[in-house]
Amino acid sequence: MVGLQQIACYVPEKKVNVSAFLPLSTSQTQSEMMEEKVISQYGLHHIAVEEELTVHEMIEKAAATVLQKHAGTEEPITWILHTHTFHPFTPYLVDPISSIQLDWGLENAKVRCIAQMNCASIDMLLQFANRLLLQEQQGAILLLCADKMIIPDSRYLKDSTVSGDAAAAMILSSQSEHHQLLASVIQCDASLYHSVQSDPADFAWFQQSFYMGLVKILRRGVKQAGIQLSQLTFIFPSNVNELTWRSIASACEMDDDVFYYPTMREVGHAHNADPLLNLQHALTHQALKKGDYYATLTVGMGSTFGCSVFQY
Amino acid sequence: MYISSIYSCVNKQKTCYAALLQKVKEMSPPSSKKKIIAPLDFPLWYLYDEYEIPLYGDKGQYNEESSFFPEKLDFHHHEFDVAVSKQPAAKQALHAIEGMWNQHVSPSSMTDACKYLIYGHETLEANFYFTPAIYLKKKLKQKRIQPFSIHAKGSLVLYEAIQMCEALFSSSSDTSLPSLPSQLASISSSESCAAMFVVSDIIQPPMRRLWLDHYPKGDAATACYISPTHGDWKILHMFADEWPLEHHNPYIWSASLHASHQQMLLERSQQLLTTALQQYGTPCSYSCDETINKAVTVTPFTPSSRYVIMQHMDATFQHTLKATVEQHGGRVFTRESLAECNLLGSDTLYSLQQLEQQVAISVGDVVFLVLAGPIADVAILVLQKQ
């Protein structure tokens, strides 16, 4: 059965207080109000900042951990799919995956970057990887994601969140005995294509309407998985902000505690790595029991949405 | 699988290497990041600086022997055509798709069947916050279509897209994976699926239009439909050879490493082309089932003509592969328009369009598209006219 075989994340050691990334205001009062909002309402405290590695080196770190664990199996990795949120990713002609291929004997794996679903791209990767494994009925796929905010003053996302740096890797296998993938759904409403630089009316509409998109994609995901919302032990969401997930929990008549995102406080919004950071945290702290159902729930500028449902 | 309704957007202009070099120098970025007042307007500069890639005018980092500019070449003032776009890649892509639609009396009959909008690219999106695939979905007002981008293997984007469509359109109903019945049920039948594909590339500084002795890279966008059931060209088979670079950053390679990669690309392209021609290029009888890369069954017919279209990468590549084609009794079609310009992901499709306009192509004729480079990887699509 198709499922997650391995998962690993790379988070930089340096953590910076979130207030360092908030835009300057005309008055100290306004600055303090914004800081208060970001900390108490959004739940953000520190942001992970990578100062030494390039983005592809961050991916190599995460990949090395999963590939080390996978090395003992005889299951070949036939594809390497990777994604990112922001452009540009690596310079033109630079091959971000070549070292991984050469270091781990993956020269024959097919490498593809599938993107532009913004922070819901990881669920798109899961869906496409699932289709590939269904078609080939053998082998495993290495999935990678990473973003590094190299542009000054780009971490604060207006009225939403603050971006951190991180990378995540996972191996999806057709022979997995754990973390069975039951469903993976994605949706793009194309409400805006220029993020915070969009027309203000479009951006305002996105801010109002993305809640509905999240509720819909979550319901679609569990329906396709053949379970009820109430059966989900945890939802591992994008580390956007606490306000969003409390609202979604309320709209779905679920307990706040079902939404599991402890890494948001110390990493920030690390884009496509978020649900995997939170899943890894749950596994490390033995929060999941065998048989538990869980889901990823992602939202990206656009409006893009993703939900993948697993059974542990 | 099938492709159809190919439409390219290119903007030709006459130039020479000297003029291109001059223009490149004029577009040099600020000499230091501190002079960039609006960082979000120059994300590419920050990225290139992050990777310590020398920007124009700064020769401090790379080996003098591996010049990225063909200053030592004799044809410095040789005039040629190059494609240079005046608009961003996404707008260029939009025009290509609209041009593709305009070829049909009722474009909605094709587009309504499309489940995916695939945005292929080799070059970088220069705008930090902009998402071309979502832009296209919104501008085209395609509410039901799922957009995504695909890239990774240079100019092989068309091959990558078709390969991904093969998986996405698969109607595999193998129930030996009991965990998947709900997912299998949701995979649409091949009867109702298709994709709009567009590849769009713009060379914008600090990306380099000139590289070693390659033809200059040109800006272009090409759109087509990909379908599992019908189209102008049936894909009989796809061959591919992909490999990682020996070091991830070619901007700091030695001259010998550049040479060895060029030689590897040439040799592996020759080998793959030989394989493709031996299997499909000789007068033989063949047909193919609907699935790419699966076994070929044989029925008696002979294609009337076989043409080979190659990536316009550089003169050596074209001459060497031409010799391989002629050894196997095939014919090479070399376009006259933008002959010394590499249109990257659009290159072979643009040539295919030129072939159809200039040569009387009959049903059953076979064309080999050789997609390659710019540094590694080669794919060959064997197409048959429907």
Side-chain angles (χ1 to χ4, degrees), chain B residues 80-210:
Chain B
F80 53 84
D81 291 328
V82 71
V84 179
S85 177
K86 292 181 167 52
Q87 53 191 352
K91 270 205 170 151
Q92 187 178 243
L94 181 64
H95 290 153
I97 293 176
E98 288 171 343
M100 179 177 71
W101 283 3
N102 291 338
Q103 294 179 109
H104 293 275
V105 172
S106 63
S108 60
S109 62
M110 294 287 288
T111 306
D112 286 351
C114 287
K115 193 170 176 185
Y116 297 98
L117 169 57
I118 306 174
Y119 179 79
H121 65 102
E122 177 181 330
T123 51
L124 305 179
E125 173 54 47
N127 192 305
F128 186 66
Y129 284 125
F130 188 80
T131 312
I134 299 178
Y135 166 84
L136 288 171
K137 174 177 164 129
K138 188 167 171 111
K139 289 295 182 186
L140 295 168
K141 297 181 180 149
Q142 296 298 305
K143 288 191 176 174
R144 290 180 303 166
I145 215 162
Q146 171 60 52
F148 67 92
S149 72
I150 190 164
H151 77 100
K153 291 280 132 178
S155 303
L156 274 59
V157 170
L158 174 64
Y159 159 70
E160 294 165 20
I162 295 171
Q163 193 178 50
M164 195 54 66
C165 284
E166 168 67 12
L168 295 174
F169 296 158
S170 171
S171 56
S172 169
S173 56
D174 191 329
T175 53
S176 64
L177 297 168
S179 64
L180 299 165
S182 59
Q183 295 164 71
L184 291 169
S186 71
I187 295 172
S188 303
S189 74
S190 62
E191 297 303 318
S192 59
C193 278
M196 266 194 286
F197 168 75
V198 63
V199 53
S200 186
D201 289 300
I202 301 282
I203 297 287
Q204 190 170 322
M207 286 182 276
R208 290 178 162 92
R209 203 175 283 284
L210 306 172

Side-chain angles (χ1 to χ4, degrees), chain B residues 249-351:
Chain B
N249 187 349
Y251 294 92
I252 58 173
W253 288 357
S254 65
S256 61
L257 195 51
H258 275 294
S260 74
H261 272 78
Q262 276 193 292
Q263 188 60 27
M264 196 186 320
L265 177 56
L266 196 58
E267 285 172 3
R268 289 173 89 146
S269 299
Q270 265 188 296
Q271 278 169 15
L272 197 69
L273 183 57
T274 300
T275 302
L277 289 169
Q278 283 173 348
Q279 193 167 339
Y280 286 94
T282 52
C284 67
S285 50
Y286 58 87
S287 68
C288 187
D289 68 22
E290 293 299 316
T291 312
I292 295 166
N293 286 337
K294 292 276 173 79
V296 175
T297 57
V298 175
T299 58
F301 78 90
T302 303
S304 49
S305 295
R306 292 167 297 283
Y307 295 94
V308 179
I309 288 174
M310 290 181 286
Q311 187 88 30
H312 282 234
M313 199 152 51
D314 59 66
T316 306
F317 183 83
Q318 287 198 283
H319 292 153
T320 306
L321 263 62
K322 185 179 179 187
T324 303
V325 172
E326 287 168 352
Q327 276 168 22
H328 288 83
R331 268 184 281 185
V332 171
F333 174 79
T334 304
R335 66 175 188 254
E336 290 175 6
S337 172
L338 295 164
E340 290 178 338
C341 180
N342 184 354
L343 298 175
L344 306 176
S346 293
D347 198 77
T348 53
L349 286 173
Y350 182 67
S351 291

